[in-house]
Amino acid sequence: MPYFETADGTRLAYEDYGTGKPIVFVASWALGADMWEYQVPFFVEQGYRCVLLDRRGHGRSDRPSGGYDIDTRADDLATLVEHLDLREITLVGHSSGGGEVARYLVRHGEERVSRVAFVSAVLPFLKRTDDNPQGAPEMLCEAVIAQFRKDRPKWFAQRAQGFYATHLGNDASPALVDLTLRRCLDTAPWATIEVWRSTFHADHREGLRAITVPTLVVHGTADQSAIVEMTGRRTAQLVPGCVYKEYPTGGHGLFATHSEQLNNDILDLIKG
């Protein structure tokens, strides 16, 4: 398992498969590199290099007490890119990983980046403020954190089926749902809380307006984790010239339930 070291001495795990132009996959909050198992074989067989990161506190990476703010997490991503000297990258971010991709572009620019895909991303800004009335009240963020502190497994278990929108007939077996739940619970409890809080407070609106590379925004209409009216549709309105794809039966976990459609949409972005 390869690792690299960040500026604060944290060791982060990553995976690297294939050759060709690189695609860097940035995982969801509470999930690690393994979530991309339905994307990696497809893109390696298409002739691309797939690089996957376990963010701090997740997967096989170190579990430090700090560094879970959005800027540090974006800098961690940049350190990986520089460690491997990746160029002409397609950045693919899911959920909170989409926020890390967006903040990477703000802090480190587009010099190494050719394309971006935001998949079920929790963008542009979740918190309700005077200039963001579509957001959610801060008390909601703190109420969820209180549930984590009381019974974190219960919170994830109650949302496991909804994550894949199985009520709409999506093909997500009980085994897949159970695996996803176990992966979420393997994430450091401290990281679970801190990344959640950071994601809720991060405002990406200005950064999204500044994106100039070709961008794909993909979201599920049935996403219960990142409600499409609050996230995907607003993101698509902010990113200049982006391609917006909405999957009518897609939940938050469309990387698994709609993997074929998603993979082909990302491939179209890369080849476009």
Side-chain angles (χ1 to χ4, degrees):
M1 189 75 201
Y3 291 84
F4 67 97
E5 191 168 303
T6 67
D8 65 356
T10 301
R11 286 204 330 149
L12 301 184
Y14 69 95
E15 299 179 22
D16 190 349
Y17 302 99
T19 58
K21 290 185 177 180
I23 308 171
V24 177
F25 291 93
V26 187
S28 172
W29 163 75
L31 290 172
D34 289 344
M35 69 164 278
W36 299 110
E37 65 178 290
Y38 305 103
Q39 281 65 57
V40 171
F42 175 85
F43 286 103
V44 169
E45 290 165 3
Q46 294 289 328
Y48 295 97
R49 179 182 181 184
C50 295
V51 177
L52 309 92
L53 173 65
D54 278 346
R55 76 169 54 78
R56 57 179 64 213
H58 292 59
R60 292 143 292 195
S61 291
D62 285 353
R63 297 179 164 202
S65 61
Y68 297 104
D69 60 280
I70 185 64
D71 287 346
T72 301
R73 284 157 36 217
D75 291 349
D76 288 347
L77 175 59
T79 302
L80 172 61
V81 168
E82 292 159 9
H83 173 72
L84 297 175
D85 193 24
L86 302 177
R87 300 180 185 276
E88 297 185 71
I89 305 166
T90 297
L91 284 174
V92 180
H94 180 268
S95 191
S96 292
E100 291 163 16
V101 167
R103 189 57 56 92
Y104 169 94
L105 296 174
V106 169
R107 292 175 65 81
H108 301 278
E110 298 176 346
E111 180 183 357
R112 293 175 178 263
V113 179
S114 295
R115 293 169 177 79
V116 172
F118 294 120
V119 181
S120 309
V122 284
L123 299 167
F125 187 22
L126 297 184
K127 183 171 70 172
R128 182 180 298 168
T129 59
D130 289 344
D131 68 344
N132 190 47
Q134 306 97 323
E138 188 168 355
M139 68 178 66
L140 175 62
C141 172
E142 294 304 317
V144 172
I145 290 173
Q147 293 179 55
F148 292 156
R149 289 174 171 169
K150 181 179 181 181
D151 194 338
R152 185 173 54 99
K154 178 181 178 181
W155 189 91
F156 279 104
Q158 288 177 333
R159 289 156 180 80
Q161 295 287 340
F163 186 85
Y164 290 117
T166 55
H167 62 289
L168 296 179
N170 290 322
D171 185 14
S173 69
L176 174 59
V177 173
D178 179 66
L179 175 63
T180 306
L181 175 60
R182 286 188 281 111
R183 284 174 172 170
C184 289
L185 295 178
D186 281 343
T187 298
W190 181 261
T192 299
I193 291 173
E194 292 303 303
V195 174
W196 173 276
R197 179 181 282 123
S198 170
T199 297
F200 184 83
H201 288 276
D203 184 353
H204 299 281
R205 291 174 294 179
E206 183 177 350
L208 293 173
R209 294 187 185 102
I211 294 175
T212 65
V213 297
T215 301
L216 170 69
V217 179
V218 177
H219 220 93
T221 306
D223 193 325
Q224 298 178 17
S225 302
I227 306 302
V228 67
E229 293 88 355
M230 185 187 296
T231 57
R233 292 174 186 169
R234 292 183 62 205
T235 300
Q237 292 171 356
L238 289 172
V239 180
C242 76
V243 174
Y244 180 57
K245 302 271 188 174
E246 191 168 308
Y247 299 176
T249 60
H252 203 54
L254 48 75
F255 57 88
T257 58
H258 295 67
S259 59
E260 183 176 352
Q261 184 177 0
L262 176 63
N263 292 348
N264 282 311
D265 283 338
I266 295 174
L267 184 62
D268 287 344
L269 169 73
I270 296 171
K271 289 185 172 181

